[in-house]
Amino acid sequence: MCGAIFDFLFKKGKKYIVTEVKKMNGQVVQIAMAPKNGKNIKYLPGQFIRVGFNGSVAKPFSLISLPGEKEIVISVKALGDFTTKLQDLHVGALAGVQGPFGKFLFKNFVGKNQIWIAGGIGIMPFLSMSKFLVQDSGSEYKIVLFYCANTKDEAVYIDDLLEYSKQSPNLNVIPFFCDKDGFLSAKEIEETAGDLNGREILMCGPPPMLAALRKQLKEIGVSDRFIHGEEF
């Protein structure tokens, strides 16, 4: 019965064709897809889709491409059986796409002076939002992005983000690697980004990391209503 339901969901999704499979490192693969009928889905920077390949169960992945581009792009880290198999996905594979979904969007929050905190694979929703800031040269938003990873090698998009930071005066990217910097703390966020009073803080990453930072931020006086988390 479950298989029939998943097959139905796959068939109901918009049909896409895999156009590129790019291995970023030993664990992360970037997958580009073009709509089979020539009409792309409409989405906003930071949203995610559910994707199934060749009839598989649809799983959620953040879009790292920008709205208006001809292809949609996701990035997948090998964390289980399904995502590990996608490391060997081939160009030409059929994809069923559902969505977009999600309200974890920087423009959904009132304050324009924001801090973004990404842990590991949690960088994905921030990638398209960072790209958008580069395009939106007249933006009133001021963003400080902390990109946390265990090592620099695991931070597969750090060079892209540092380049976006050079191109946009509204984006400041701060790399933070656990092997040499330890774990990011609320105190270090405040010391680096300045006064946190009234600033929207968007966090995406592993649940333990988000829980620890939320607790620390509240302890230094940040109101819970300014802390927004999305778990990976």
Side-chain angles (χ1 to χ4, degrees):
M1 179 65 178
C2 287
I5 292 173
F6 291 138
D7 184 56
F8 171 76
L9 289 174
F10 177 81
K11 289 177 180 177
K12 292 295 287 183
K14 289 182 171 57
K15 301 300 185 296
Y16 276 72
I17 302 293
V18 174
T19 56
E20 182 184 45
V21 180
K22 181 180 179 182
K23 292 195 174 183
M24 307 299 291
N25 63 15
Q27 286 188 303
V28 178
V29 62
Q30 185 172 290
I31 301 169
M33 296 166 278
K36 193 174 181 182
N37 65 359
K39 188 176 182 180
N40 212 343
I41 61 170
K42 294 181 180 180
Y43 59 95
L44 298 171
Q47 287 193 299
F48 68 93
I49 53 175
R50 295 183 65 87
V51 191
F53 295 94
N54 294 325
S56 68
V57 177
K59 298 286 187 179
F61 297 101
S62 291
L63 289 158
I64 65 172
S65 48
L66 278 179
E69 293 181 354
K70 293 181 179 179
E71 298 175 317
I72 57 174
V73 183
I74 61 172
S75 190
V76 181
K77 185 175 182 179
L79 296 172
D81 291 343
F82 177 80
T83 50
T84 299
K85 288 179 181 177
L86 294 185
Q87 308 298 306
D88 298 319
L89 192 68
H90 297 293
V91 170
L94 180 64
V97 174
Q98 304 159 25
F101 307 101
K103 297 182 179 178
F104 189 72
L105 315 172
F106 74 102
K107 286 197 171 184
N108 279 352
F109 304 104
V110 175
K112 292 181 170 59
N113 192 350
Q114 300 182 2
I115 295 171
W116 300 349
I117 304 168
I121 200 72
I123 192 62
M124 300 310 168
F126 295 119
L127 281 173
S128 59
M129 292 193 280
S130 297
K131 287 183 191 178
F132 183 81
L133 284 174
V134 173
Q135 285 195 349
D136 189 14
S137 58
S139 175
E140 297 178 359
Y141 286 84
K142 298 295 180 184
I143 308 297
V144 178
L145 167 60
F146 291 88
Y147 183 6
C148 305
N150 290 324
T151 66
K152 184 178 180 180
D153 289 341
E154 289 189 14
V156 293
Y157 289 102
I158 186 59
D159 290 339
D160 293 326
L161 286 164
L162 290 174
E163 183 59 32
Y164 299 156
S165 183
K166 290 178 183 178
Q167 295 176 23
S168 172
N170 302 319
L171 176 66
N172 182 18
V173 176
I174 310 293
F176 207 91
F177 306 126
C178 296
D179 63 341
K180 68 180 185 68
D181 301 317
F183 293 108
L184 181 66
S185 68
K187 182 179 179 182
E188 285 165 312
I189 294 169
E190 187 173 44
E191 288 176 351
T192 304
D195 186 12
L196 304 182
N197 185 41
R199 296 170 76 174
E200 307 283 0
I201 300 176
L202 284 64
M203 305 187 298
C204 186
M209 173 187 172
L210 269 56
L213 284 175
R214 182 181 290 272
K215 181 175 182 293
Q216 293 174 28
L217 288 165
K218 290 169 71 174
E219 286 174 349
I220 64 172
V222 178
S223 171
D224 198 50
R225 69 190 181 94
F226 291 113
I227 307 172
H228 318 284
E230 180 116 316
E231 297 179 356
F232 260 66

